[in-house]
Amino acid sequence: MYDKVMESVRYIEEKINLKPEIGVILGSGLGNLTDTLENKQYLDYKDIPNFPQSTVKGHQGRLVFGLLNGVKVLFMQGRFHYYEGYSMKEVTYPVYVMKMLGIKNLIVTNACGGINTSFEPGTLMLINDFINLMGTNPLIGENDERFGPRFPDMSEPYDLKLIEKARDAASELGIDCKEGVYAGFMGPYYETASEIVMIGRMGADAVGMSTVPETIVANYLGMKVLGIACITNMATGIQTVKHSHERVVEIAQKASVKLCSLVTKIIETI
Ligand code: HPA
């Protein structure tokens, strides 16, 4: 794994003459966050040695490098989901690459379902903790100490200072931003009503099918993580209409205007 990651890193460093300081993983429908980047440079996943490929509609598969208000940023346009059939190591592969490219701060975004009834579609939620309900995790297997410790601490998976910065940025922009716990479910089906009752009782405010693996690996690698969830629908049983991926993407695209100004502002302060 280490050698594979380093091969990807060497390829990227050969092609791209910008050393990113911050990484951003974009969720469903949030891909246009890269619109405001300057001096953009692209690398398709398919061209990067050892990189997995994306298969979901609404997810492009490329890395976008550029400047956001002068800060060097790497955006991942299209992520890998466990439900697509990738292994957990593949799902989190780009996080290893980001770390080895020198990135210390990672912003993870996603589209997800709201469980907390004070939320509504379009609400942004700063993630303050996660519950891993994916039935596995990306650190299973032999450990390579060059990456991180065998038993990583997970007491602050989302960096409290970054959350504070995000909170301040939101209030400066007049964006109403909630905070809460994200439960990662395996997917790809939208949960049953009873599963949502269960997850809600566990303490989750939102549920989705991503983010948790990347957060675990980023913490393992010693990176600081900020998670921003976009509530695209209320979860099963709370919302009475049936779910549709098209609707999820549509709401995410609408909310991405807010998310874009928030992420830009946060990046200025990191
Ligand atoms: N559940 C899980 N994942 C999701 C949802 C949901 O309701 N909405 C968007 N992604």
Side-chain angles (χ1 to χ4, degrees), residues 125-131 154-160 163 167 178-182 203-205 225-229:
M125 182 188 93
L126 301 175
I127 308 176
N128 55 25
D129 206 354
F130 70 73
I131 301 175
M154 210 54 66
S155 59
E156 193 186 315
Y158 300 97
D159 186 71
L160 293 178
I163 292 178
R167 206 183 278 143
K178 311 283 192 198
E179 290 176 32
V181 176
Y182 176 95
D205 298 286
V225 185
L226 176 70
I228 311 176

Side-chain angles (χ1 to χ4, degrees), residues 45-104:
Y45 296 162
K46 65 174 167 39
D47 296 329
I48 306 171
N50 310 320
F51 225 79
Q53 314 290 311
S54 189
T55 65
V56 181
K57 259 200 287 178
H59 287 244
Q60 284 161 303
R62 61 185 184 180
L63 298 181
V64 189
F65 299 79
L67 295 172
L68 201 60
N69 278 348
V71 185
K72 293 175 198 133
V73 190
L74 162 54
F75 278 82
M76 235 189 111
Q77 218 170 32
R79 61 144 61 88
F80 306 106
H81 299 88
Y82 190 55
Y83 63 73
E84 291 177 87
Y86 295 107
S87 70
M88 276 287 177
K89 291 277 186 245
E90 288 170 315
V91 168
T92 53
Y93 188 85
V95 182
Y96 288 89
V97 170
M98 286 189 193
K99 165 73 182 186
M100 293 307 171
L101 281 169
I103 290 175
K104 296 194 172 61

Side-chain angles (χ1 to χ4, degrees), residues 2-264:
Y2 190 86
D3 294 340
K4 280 189 172 174
V5 169
M6 293 317 288
E7 192 188 349
S8 303
V9 167
R10 273 194 300 276
Y11 177 85
I12 294 167
E13 284 176 341
E14 262 169 36
K15 298 277 171 193
I16 304 290
N17 59 8
L18 174 147
K19 196 169 163 50
E21 294 155 25
I22 297 176
V24 184
I25 301 180
L26 298 169
S28 301
L30 301 171
N32 56 0
L33 280 189
T34 59
D35 288 353
T36 51
L37 271 188
E38 286 162 15
N39 296 5
K40 266 182 272 200
Q41 297 176 62
Y42 300 95
L43 271 186
D44 286 342
Y45 296 162
K46 65 174 167 39
D47 296 329
I48 306 171
N50 310 320
F51 225 79
Q53 314 290 311
S54 189
T55 65
V56 181
K57 259 200 287 178
H59 287 244
Q60 284 161 303
R62 61 185 184 180
L63 298 181
V64 189
F65 299 79
L67 295 172
L68 201 60
N69 278 348
V71 185
K72 293 175 198 133
V73 190
L74 162 54
F75 278 82
M76 235 189 111
Q77 218 170 32
R79 61 144 61 88
F80 306 106
H81 299 88
Y82 190 55
Y83 63 73
E84 291 177 87
Y86 295 107
S87 70
M88 276 287 177
K89 291 277 186 245
E90 288 170 315
V91 168
T92 53
Y93 188 85
V95 182
Y96 288 89
V97 170
M98 286 189 193
K99 165 73 182 186
M100 293 307 171
L101 281 169
I103 290 175
K104 296 194 172 61
N105 293 288
L106 179 65
I107 302 179
V108 191
T109 66
N110 64 57
C112 66
I115 298 178
N116 186 321
T117 51
S118 75
F119 298 173
E120 57 184 16
T123 298
L124 295 183
M125 182 188 93
L126 301 175
I127 308 176
N128 55 25
D129 206 354
F130 70 73
I131 301 175
N132 178 14
L133 293 171
M134 293 186 145
T136 181
N137 78 71
L139 303 182
I140 303 279
E142 205 181 318
N143 187 51
D144 189 333
E145 293 281 333
R146 287 172 292 184
F147 285 131
R150 171 75 290 185
F151 300 109
D153 182 80
M154 210 54 66
S155 59
E156 193 186 315
Y158 300 97
D159 186 71
L160 293 178
K161 289 199 184 84
L162 288 181
I163 292 178
E164 202 177 309
K165 285 180 177 173
R167 206 183 278 143
D168 291 347
S171 81
E172 247 182 76
L173 292 167
I175 294 173
D176 179 28
C177 204
K178 311 283 192 198
E179 290 176 32
V181 176
Y182 176 95
F185 220 68
M186 194 188 301
Y189 69 90
Y190 294 106
E191 305 71 28
T192 67
S194 300
E195 284 168 342
I196 293 301
V197 170
M198 172 188 78
I199 301 169
R201 285 184 188 156
M202 284 176 166
D205 298 286
V207 60
M209 307 171 194
S210 65
T211 302
V212 169
E214 294 106 317
T215 301
I216 292 171
V217 165
N219 275 273
Y220 162 69
L221 295 170
M223 298 164 89
K224 299 213 182 308
V225 185
L226 176 70
I228 311 176
C230 171
I231 311 293
T232 52
N233 56 277
M234 294 311 287
T236 314
I238 299 172
Q239 154 182 317
T240 47
V241 287
K242 292 205 189 272
H243 301 301
S244 90
H245 180 61
E246 285 67 29
R247 181 91 183 123
V248 164
V249 172
E250 185 192 323
I251 298 288
Q253 275 165 353
K254 279 195 190 140
S256 72
V257 179
K258 273 194 296 188
L259 189 56
C260 186
S261 42
L262 183 59
V263 168
T264 308

